[in-house]
Amino acid sequence: MASEFSERLSAERLQAALNERPFQFFETVSSTNDVARAWALEDAPHGAVVIAELQTAGRGRFGRTWQAPSGTALLFSALLRPSLAVPTTRYTMAAAVSVRSALLDLLKLDASDIKLKWPNDVCLHDRKVCGILIEPLWRGALLEALIVGIGVNVRVPFDDPELAARAINLEPFCPSQVDRALLLADILKRLEYWSARVEGLALFQAWRAALSTLGQRVQVTDVGTGRVIAVGRALDVDEDGALLVRAEDGRIQPVFAGEVTLQQFKAE
Ligand code: BTN
């Protein structure tokens, strides 16, 4: 009987795609971010990557769980050793821009088909195709490493209708089965490029131009407390990644973190 998915990752396939890049591959792991963190505490170099077919404790932003059946997503954590005193939000930009450009290249779609929802959700036709979770590793006051956890929906069965309305897979947009090892190698190559240029204007401009959130009426919520942080028009972003929201009274509020939901503009 044919297996459900013929495109399985293996250490051999990853070795061929990643060349010299140090990596660890697991069929099953708790969370690739946890393994990358433990590896970072040892000797993992900048650019090392941890990949898994299945996570039993995958997590997303705001402490949410992140689940996908084995072999249906591209799940990995890249380890960066930041050498510059730049805000970590700059690495958020680098990761989002890297994934977006790799997906645009793979799917040969128009740039407007893949956009970013502030700060770093990658959306295909306005539905989330990739989530990014960046976790810092501190040693005292020193930023030792950044763990860039990335989950790309490739062929995930979205059984929950509510999830199916918000999420999307990339494979239906490809002429053939997605080769996740090659996609991984491509994303990592772009991440290497942008993470070496985190300070530059080009990264900020690429990120800003890809944001679908700008110009929209938004509500930003602190997910931990449920408190609404800002409501208004998302005017712009600043170079450190803050979302600038103009409230009805005209005040412009910088928002540094939170969950954005789009709202309808009121009829004039
Ligand atoms: C989000 O909430 O949008 C971020 C989701 C990040 C999921 C990825 S999957 C690989 C890595 N390991 C994890 O536990 N999380 C990230």
Side-chain angles (χ1 to χ4, degrees), residues 30-34 50 55 57-62 64-66 74-77 120-121 128 130-135 147-152:
S30 54
S31 154
T32 54
N33 270 33
D34 288 342
V50 176
Q55 298 184 116
R59 59 177 175 273
R61 294 172 67 223
F62 313 120
R64 291 178 176 143
T65 56
W66 184 272
L74 173 59
L75 308 169
F76 66 97
S77 300
N120 62 359
D121 282 350
K128 185 160 166 174
C130 168
I132 300 171
L133 175 68
I134 301 198
E135 296 179 326
I147 314 298
V148 182
I150 298 183
V152 183

Tab-separated table of all heavy atoms in Angstrom, residues 30-34 50 55 57-62 64-66 74-77 120-121 128 130-135 147-152, ligand 1:
chain	number	residue	atom	x	y	z
A	30	SER	N	10.253	16.979	21.566
A	30	SER	CA	9.281	17.790	22.317
A	30	SER	C	9.006	19.069	21.518
A	30	SER	O	7.926	19.278	20.985
A	30	SER	CB	9.819	18.097	23.714
A	30	SER	OG	11.109	18.702	23.613
A	31	SER	N	10.028	19.905	21.420
A	31	SER	CA	9.939	21.130	20.613
A	31	SER	C	11.333	21.386	20.057
A	31	SER	O	12.322	21.294	20.797
A	31	SER	CB	9.493	22.297	21.501
A	31	SER	OG	9.949	23.526	20.969
A	32	THR	N	11.405	21.705	18.784
A	32	THR	CA	12.732	21.973	18.200
A	32	THR	C	13.377	23.175	18.896
A	32	THR	O	14.599	23.248	18.998
A	32	THR	CB	12.629	22.226	16.683
A	32	THR	OG1	11.679	23.268	16.441
A	32	THR	CG2	12.235	20.977	15.922
A	33	ASN	N	12.552	24.112	19.391
A	33	ASN	CA	13.123	25.260	20.117
A	33	ASN	C	13.846	24.798	21.384
A	33	ASN	O	14.895	25.338	21.745
A	33	ASN	CB	12.029	26.267	20.483
A	33	ASN	CG	11.832	27.314	19.397
A	33	ASN	OD1	11.996	27.034	18.217
A	33	ASN	ND2	11.468	28.523	19.789
A	34	ASP	N	13.286	23.796	22.069
A	34	ASP	CA	13.922	23.306	23.299
A	34	ASP	C	15.255	22.631	22.992
A	34	ASP	O	16.233	22.814	23.716
A	34	ASP	CB	13.002	22.305	24.017
A	34	ASP	CG	11.812	23.008	24.645
A	34	ASP	OD1	11.876	24.246	24.832
A	34	ASP	OD2	10.824	22.321	24.929
A	50	VAL	N	17.840	22.703	14.058
A	50	VAL	CA	17.212	21.480	14.578
A	50	VAL	C	15.894	21.297	13.824
A	50	VAL	O	15.091	22.232	13.743
A	50	VAL	CB	16.936	21.604	16.098
A	50	VAL	CG1	16.195	20.377	16.608
A	50	VAL	CG2	18.238	21.831	16.859
A	55	GLN	N	6.419	17.225	16.570
A	55	GLN	CA	6.695	17.792	17.897
A	55	GLN	C	5.564	17.372	18.842
A	55	GLN	O	4.390	17.479	18.481
A	55	GLN	CB	6.745	19.316	17.837
A	55	GLN	CG	7.845	19.883	16.955
A	55	GLN	CD	7.912	21.401	17.011
A	55	GLN	OE1	8.897	21.968	17.450
A	55	GLN	NE2	6.861	22.052	16.562
A	57	ALA	N	5.410	18.757	21.920
A	57	ALA	CA	5.127	19.945	22.733
A	57	ALA	C	5.526	21.199	21.961
A	57	ALA	O	6.161	22.100	22.512
A	57	ALA	CB	5.872	19.857	24.068
A	58	GLY	N	5.137	21.226	20.681
A	58	GLY	CA	5.433	22.413	19.868
A	58	GLY	C	4.664	23.598	20.428
A	58	GLY	O	3.525	23.454	20.877
A	59	ARG	N	5.297	24.741	20.414
A	59	ARG	CA	4.596	25.906	20.947
A	59	ARG	C	4.668	27.090	19.995
A	59	ARG	O	5.567	27.195	19.175
A	59	ARG	CB	5.153	26.302	22.324
A	59	ARG	CG	6.621	26.647	22.330
A	59	ARG	CD	7.083	27.088	23.718
A	59	ARG	NE	8.516	27.298	23.717
A	59	ARG	CZ	9.420	26.345	23.938
A	59	ARG	NH1	9.022	25.116	24.199
A	59	ARG	NH2	10.705	26.625	23.898
A	60	GLY	N	3.672	27.957	20.156
A	60	GLY	CA	3.611	29.160	19.350
A	60	GLY	C	3.751	30.380	20.227
A	60	GLY	O	4.108	30.276	21.400
A	61	ARG	N	3.460	31.530	19.650
A	61	ARG	CA	3.519	32.764	20.429
A	61	ARG	C	2.411	32.749	21.477
A	61	ARG	O	1.442	32.021	21.365
A	61	ARG	CB	3.357	33.975	19.503
A	61	ARG	CG	4.520	34.130	18.542
A	61	ARG	CD	4.260	35.213	17.519
A	61	ARG	NE	4.218	36.522	18.142
A	61	ARG	CZ	3.321	37.465	17.848
A	61	ARG	NH1	2.377	37.234	16.962
A	61	ARG	NH2	3.346	38.629	18.450
A	62	PHE	N	2.592	33.530	22.505
A	62	PHE	CA	1.625	33.684	23.596
A	62	PHE	C	1.339	32.355	24.303
A	62	PHE	O	0.232	32.134	24.795
A	62	PHE	CB	0.298	34.280	23.080
A	62	PHE	CG	0.488	35.475	22.199
A	62	PHE	CD1	0.039	35.481	20.889
A	62	PHE	CD2	1.129	36.615	22.673
A	62	PHE	CE1	0.212	36.588	20.075
A	62	PHE	CE2	1.305	37.731	21.853
A	62	PHE	CZ	0.848	37.715	20.559
A	64	ARG	N	0.800	29.476	23.182
A	64	ARG	CA	-0.151	28.573	22.529
A	64	ARG	C	0.547	27.299	22.059
A	64	ARG	O	1.747	27.295	21.858
A	64	ARG	CB	-0.780	29.264	21.326
A	64	ARG	CG	-1.692	30.397	21.746
A	64	ARG	CD	-2.257	31.096	20.542
A	64	ARG	NE	-3.203	32.104	20.956
A	64	ARG	CZ	-3.352	33.293	20.372
A	64	ARG	NH1	-2.605	33.623	19.340
A	64	ARG	NH2	-4.239	34.155	20.808
A	65	THR	N	-0.243	26.241	21.861
A	65	THR	CA	0.358	25.016	21.330
A	65	THR	C	0.414	25.125	19.801
A	65	THR	O	-0.371	25.857	19.192
A	65	THR	CB	-0.446	23.755	21.708
A	65	THR	OG1	-1.771	23.935	21.247
A	65	THR	CG2	-0.454	23.516	23.200
A	66	TRP	N	1.359	24.397	19.218
A	66	TRP	CA	1.536	24.408	17.759
A	66	TRP	C	1.658	22.952	17.341
A	66	TRP	O	2.643	22.296	17.647
A	66	TRP	CB	2.783	25.205	17.398
A	66	TRP	CG	2.986	25.337	15.919
A	66	TRP	CD1	3.662	24.468	15.115
A	66	TRP	CD2	2.517	26.390	15.065
A	66	TRP	NE1	3.631	24.925	13.816
A	66	TRP	CE2	2.946	26.106	13.754
A	66	TRP	CE3	1.785	27.561	15.289
A	66	TRP	CZ2	2.660	26.939	12.674
A	66	TRP	CZ3	1.508	28.386	14.212
A	66	TRP	CH2	1.943	28.071	12.927
A	74	LEU	N	6.832	21.849	7.866
A	74	LEU	CA	8.289	22.014	7.988
A	74	LEU	C	8.526	22.692	9.328
A	74	LEU	O	8.136	23.845	9.529
A	74	LEU	CB	8.813	22.870	6.829
A	74	LEU	CG	10.295	23.274	6.905
A	74	LEU	CD1	11.202	22.046	6.964
A	74	LEU	CD2	10.674	24.154	5.719
A	75	LEU	N	9.132	21.947	10.255
A	75	LEU	CA	9.287	22.412	11.633
A	75	LEU	C	10.766	22.478	11.969
A	75	LEU	O	11.453	21.453	11.954
A	75	LEU	CB	8.610	21.425	12.598
A	75	LEU	CG	7.151	21.051	12.287
A	75	LEU	CD1	6.704	19.892	13.154
A	75	LEU	CD2	6.249	22.256	12.493
A	76	PHE	N	11.245	23.657	12.264
A	76	PHE	CA	12.668	23.748	12.584
A	76	PHE	C	12.976	24.962	13.453
A	76	PHE	O	12.162	25.895	13.546
A	76	PHE	CB	13.524	23.784	11.311
A	76	PHE	CG	13.337	25.012	10.454
A	76	PHE	CD1	14.213	26.081	10.544
A	76	PHE	CD2	12.293	25.090	9.544
A	76	PHE	CE1	14.060	27.215	9.746
A	76	PHE	CE2	12.123	26.213	8.743
A	76	PHE	CZ	13.005	27.274	8.848
A	77	SER	N	14.141	24.909	14.070
A	77	SER	CA	14.633	26.038	14.856
A	77	SER	C	16.065	26.303	14.454
A	77	SER	O	16.921	25.421	14.531
A	77	SER	CB	14.588	25.718	16.353
A	77	SER	OG	13.259	25.432	16.742
A	120	ASN	N	5.054	39.031	12.555
A	120	ASN	CA	5.787	38.059	11.738
A	120	ASN	C	4.993	36.822	11.319
A	120	ASN	O	5.580	35.776	11.083
A	120	ASN	CB	7.097	37.651	12.427
A	120	ASN	CG	6.848	36.968	13.754
A	120	ASN	OD1	5.708	36.814	14.161
A	120	ASN	ND2	7.904	36.557	14.423
A	121	ASP	N	3.683	36.933	11.204
A	121	ASP	CA	2.929	35.813	10.625
A	121	ASP	C	3.043	35.915	9.106
A	121	ASP	O	2.783	36.983	8.537
A	121	ASP	CB	1.436	35.912	10.970
A	121	ASP	CG	1.150	35.464	12.392
A	121	ASP	OD1	2.052	34.903	13.032
A	121	ASP	OD2	0.019	35.689	12.849
A	128	LYS	N	-2.861	32.140	7.469
A	128	LYS	CA	-1.506	31.911	7.993
A	128	LYS	C	-0.892	30.634	7.431
A	128	LYS	O	-1.430	29.547	7.601
A	128	LYS	CB	-1.581	31.856	9.522
A	128	LYS	CG	-0.256	31.733	10.215
A	128	LYS	CD	-0.406	32.177	11.655
A	128	LYS	CE	0.766	31.782	12.520
A	128	LYS	NZ	0.667	32.351	13.865
A	130	CYS	N	2.640	30.255	7.861
A	130	CYS	CA	3.859	30.035	8.652
A	130	CYS	C	3.839	30.891	9.910
A	130	CYS	O	3.473	32.069	9.865
A	130	CYS	CB	5.076	30.407	7.796
A	130	CYS	SG	6.615	30.516	8.722
A	131	GLY	N	4.245	30.272	11.017
A	131	GLY	CA	4.384	30.995	12.282
A	131	GLY	C	5.837	30.992	12.710
A	131	GLY	O	6.578	30.041	12.433
A	132	ILE	N	6.225	32.069	13.362
A	132	ILE	CA	7.628	32.220	13.782
A	132	ILE	C	7.658	32.570	15.268
A	132	ILE	O	6.946	33.476	15.713
A	132	ILE	CB	8.312	33.339	12.960
A	132	ILE	CG1	8.287	32.989	11.464
A	132	ILE	CG2	9.749	33.569	13.441
A	132	ILE	CD1	8.742	34.113	10.541
A	133	LEU	N	8.453	31.831	16.006
A	133	LEU	CA	8.592	32.081	17.444
A	133	LEU	C	10.070	32.274	17.759
A	133	LEU	O	10.851	31.327	17.672
A	133	LEU	CB	8.045	30.880	18.238
A	133	LEU	CG	8.217	30.940	19.746
A	133	LEU	CD1	7.351	32.034	20.355
A	133	LEU	CD2	7.867	29.584	20.386
A	134	ILE	N	10.427	33.489	18.126
A	134	ILE	CA	11.837	33.764	18.421
A	134	ILE	C	12.029	33.851	19.928
A	134	ILE	O	11.344	34.625	20.602
A	134	ILE	CB	12.289	35.068	17.737
A	134	ILE	CG1	12.090	34.934	16.222
A	134	ILE	CG2	13.739	35.385	18.079
A	134	ILE	CD1	12.840	35.892	15.367
A	135	GLU	N	12.928	33.022	20.438
A	135	GLU	CA	13.171	33.005	21.884
A	135	GLU	C	14.636	33.342	22.166
A	135	GLU	O	15.535	32.720	21.591
A	135	GLU	CB	12.809	31.626	22.451
A	135	GLU	CG	11.326	31.331	22.285
A	135	GLU	CD	10.899	29.959	22.814
A	135	GLU	OE1	11.700	29.005	22.722
A	135	GLU	OE2	9.778	29.861	23.308
A	147	ILE	N	16.868	31.760	19.359
A	147	ILE	CA	16.334	30.541	18.768
A	147	ILE	C	15.171	30.980	17.877
A	147	ILE	O	14.171	31.503	18.363
A	147	ILE	CB	15.802	29.563	19.847
A	147	ILE	CG1	16.785	29.403	21.022
A	147	ILE	CG2	15.416	28.231	19.226
A	147	ILE	CD1	18.107	28.830	20.690
A	148	VAL	N	15.333	30.755	16.592
A	148	VAL	CA	14.308	31.179	15.629
A	148	VAL	C	13.508	29.946	15.225
A	148	VAL	O	13.937	29.152	14.382
A	148	VAL	CB	14.968	31.835	14.391
A	148	VAL	CG1	13.908	32.319	13.417
A	148	VAL	CG2	15.874	32.987	14.817
A	149	GLY	N	12.364	29.769	15.856
A	149	GLY	CA	11.521	28.588	15.589
A	149	GLY	C	10.519	28.897	14.487
A	149	GLY	O	9.803	29.901	14.548
A	150	ILE	N	10.501	28.043	13.488
A	150	ILE	CA	9.657	28.294	12.321
A	150	ILE	C	8.820	27.061	11.991
A	150	ILE	O	9.339	25.944	11.940
A	150	ILE	CB	10.535	28.695	11.101
A	150	ILE	CG1	11.292	29.998	11.422
A	150	ILE	CG2	9.695	28.841	9.827
A	150	ILE	CD1	12.139	30.564	10.302
A	151	GLY	N	7.539	27.267	11.795
A	151	GLY	CA	6.646	26.176	11.402
A	151	GLY	C	5.904	26.567	10.136
A	151	GLY	O	5.164	27.560	10.135
A	152	VAL	N	6.123	25.820	9.058
A	152	VAL	CA	5.459	26.123	7.779
A	152	VAL	C	4.419	25.026	7.515
A	152	VAL	O	4.736	23.832	7.539
A	152	VAL	CB	6.482	26.150	6.607
A	152	VAL	CG1	5.778	26.542	5.307
A	152	VAL	CG2	7.644	27.099	6.889
B	1	BTN	C1	3.254	31.302	16.149
B	1	BTN	O1	2.567	31.286	17.174
B	1	BTN	O2	2.815	31.798	15.119
B	1	BTN	C2	4.642	30.720	16.134
B	1	BTN	C3	4.648	29.269	15.835
B	1	BTN	C4	6.042	28.684	15.800
B	1	BTN	C5	6.036	27.180	15.631
B	1	BTN	C6	7.419	26.633	15.421
B	1	BTN	S1	7.393	24.955	14.898
B	1	BTN	C7	9.110	24.828	15.138
B	1	BTN	C8	9.435	25.601	16.399
B	1	BTN	N1	9.294	24.754	17.573
B	1	BTN	C9	8.308	25.153	18.355
B	1	BTN	O3	7.963	24.600	19.418
B	1	BTN	N2	7.720	26.239	17.843
B	1	BTN	C10	8.348	26.664	16.617
